[in-house]
Amino acid sequence: MQEHVVIIGTGLAGYTTAREFRALAPEARLTLVTSDDGVSYSKPMLSSALRKGQSAAELGQAGADAMAESLQADVLTGVDVRAIEAQTRQLVFDDGQLEYDQLVLATGAEPLSPPFADRTRGSVFQVNNLQQYKGFRDALDQEGRVLIVGGGLIGCEFANDLAESGYGVDLVYPEDLPLSALIPGPAGQGLADALQRLGVRLHPGRTVESVDPHGEGIQAHLSDGTGLRARLALSAVGLRPRTGLAEEAGLEVDRGIVADRFLATSDDNIYALGDCARVEGYSLCYVAPLTNSARSLAKTLAGERTPVHYPVMPVTVKTSCFRIVAWFPEDPSRGQWQHDGSGADLRGEFRDGEGVLQGFYLTGKRIRERMALSREMPPLIASNEKA
Ligand SMILES: Cc1cc2nc3c(=O)[nH]c(=O)nc-3n(C[C@H](O)[C@H](O)[C@H](O)COP(=O)(O)OP(=O)(O)OC[C@H]3O[C@@H](n4cnc5c(N)ncnc54)[C@H](O)[C@@H]3O)c2cc1C
């Protein structure tokens, strides 16, 4: 009898795995289960869609029915999986159960709650999926300013996108420079300058303590006593892998669902990939790692046990005002940065004590050097062997 493969999640990790698996196993029984509407979309587009004039509806590439048809799979939408009964290989829903032979967890990550007292009614937004993006876009009002809380990748990209689209933006973050988890000082300074040239008001070294309703909008109180008025706020203070289901099922969890290089969890019949997973110690919430993972997992599910290969996959930051490609070193205490270039065209290399390249950043025209630098770096997970 055909094995039943069930995937929880229809984000990029779930659908990419399904597509790759279907190409290898045309006859296999495949079901995807999602608590959302199952619309296929590219999440990275959310933080650059405004300046490209794309609406939330236009970002949806295919609905759940069209995906079910093209994948020759059942796609169950609006279904929250409440529990995994690993012993009997069953998923538990509010109104039923589903048996599986092989289960794939592609449950993503959820935004951290805003770390401030939010006394507004619905004026503080988080954007981590298409529905949330639609709510945010519907609430945007060209007249008012937008307060962005958090100077990481998502905060900076939205600041760029909103400012380029004509909105007034205040960006508040506790660090001295934006994007400091991904790029060191000179590149962070270049980004800060470029965002300011776009008209973004930066508030480094500060946190938002509370947000209250004020007239048609909001008033935020910052840690240095400053008050900021805006139409609405976007909280972009980080993501947490969605691990609750796995934990309750007794799977090993450590800052993500623990998976080995075969994407296998501590249960032989359950796999994990994408934002919810920590693969061989790497929690990489980006598209390239999940694409690599999906390709190798599809082979394993189709009967050819295949380990994942993680080369260095530098992150492209979609700040069009200051283009950046970067890979931050695993351990910034073990080595040194060397910086080169001027203006918008910068290059930085991080080498360890043995002179091995462990991280880099490139901006502007220097981005064309990315392939050479990526190739020079040791892979994160090097494995071509079959089990
Ligand atoms: C604004 C933004 C911009 C980004 N830009 C980039 C970029 O430029 N480059 C890049 O590489 N990465 C970028 N990323 C990160 C990238 O988009 C994510 O790493 C990737 O989309 C994660 O996909 P996923 O399938 O793991 O998770 P998700 O897309 O979060 O999918 C999770 C799925 O699981 C389902 N689910 C969860 N729990 C349950 C349950 N209990 N029952 C049923 N269903 C459940 C959800 O409904 C959903 O379908 C960006 C992220 C954001 C938010």
Side-chain angles (χ1 to χ4, degrees), residues 141-348:
D141 171 353
Q142 194 76 43
E143 297 302 306
R145 299 185 65 79
V146 179
L147 165 66
I148 300 180
V149 188
L153 183 96
I154 293 172
C156 289
E157 289 190 349
F158 270 110
N160 185 146
D161 202 35
L162 286 157
E164 274 206 1
S165 308
Y167 292 87
V169 178
D170 286 278
L171 181 62
V172 181
Y173 47 92
E175 303 85 8
D176 292 338
L177 289 168
L179 218 53
S180 57
L182 189 64
I183 48 174
Q189 190 59 57
L191 175 60
D193 295 345
L195 285 170
Q196 277 180 313
R197 279 195 299 276
L198 261 190
V200 177
R201 289 188 202 153
L202 302 182
H203 306 273
R206 272 158 274 190
T207 53
V208 173
E209 303 287 295
S210 60
V211 178
D212 291 293
H214 188 278
E216 293 286 291
I218 56 170
Q219 160 111 7
H221 307 277
L222 306 194
S223 47
D224 64 349
T226 321
L228 283 181
R229 291 199 190 145
R231 179 74 185 83
L232 50 84
L234 178 67
S235 172
V237 293
L239 294 168
R240 181 193 309 116
R242 233 179 244 119
T243 56
L245 273 179
E247 233 164 319
E248 279 163 31
L251 304 184
E252 192 184 344
V253 167
D254 170 22
R255 289 164 285 169
I257 304 168
V258 172
D260 65 14
R261 64 204 174 106
F262 295 96
L263 289 320
T265 67
S266 50
D267 180 303
D268 285 348
N269 302 303
I270 305 180
Y271 300 84
L273 82 166
D275 283 7
C276 67
R278 187 167 173 83
V279 180
E280 290 270 306
Y282 291 102
S283 296
L284 301 174
C285 293
Y286 301 110
V287 176
L290 75 78
T291 306
N292 280 24
S293 299
R295 288 200 183 120
S296 60
L297 178 54
K299 287 185 189 159
T300 297
L301 292 171
E304 184 192 342
R305 232 165 93 78
T306 305
V308 69
H309 172 67
Y310 274 4
V312 165
M313 297 164 274
V315 179
T316 299
V317 186
K318 300 187 297 296
T319 41
S320 52
C321 66
F322 190 73
R323 296 185 310 123
I324 306 166
V325 170
W327 183 259
F328 204 74
E330 272 292 294
D331 183 354
S333 69
R334 295 178 56 191
Q336 271 192 335
W337 280 103
Q338 284 201 327
H339 308 283
D340 180 40
S342 61
D345 307 320
L346 306 175
R347 168 178 169 136

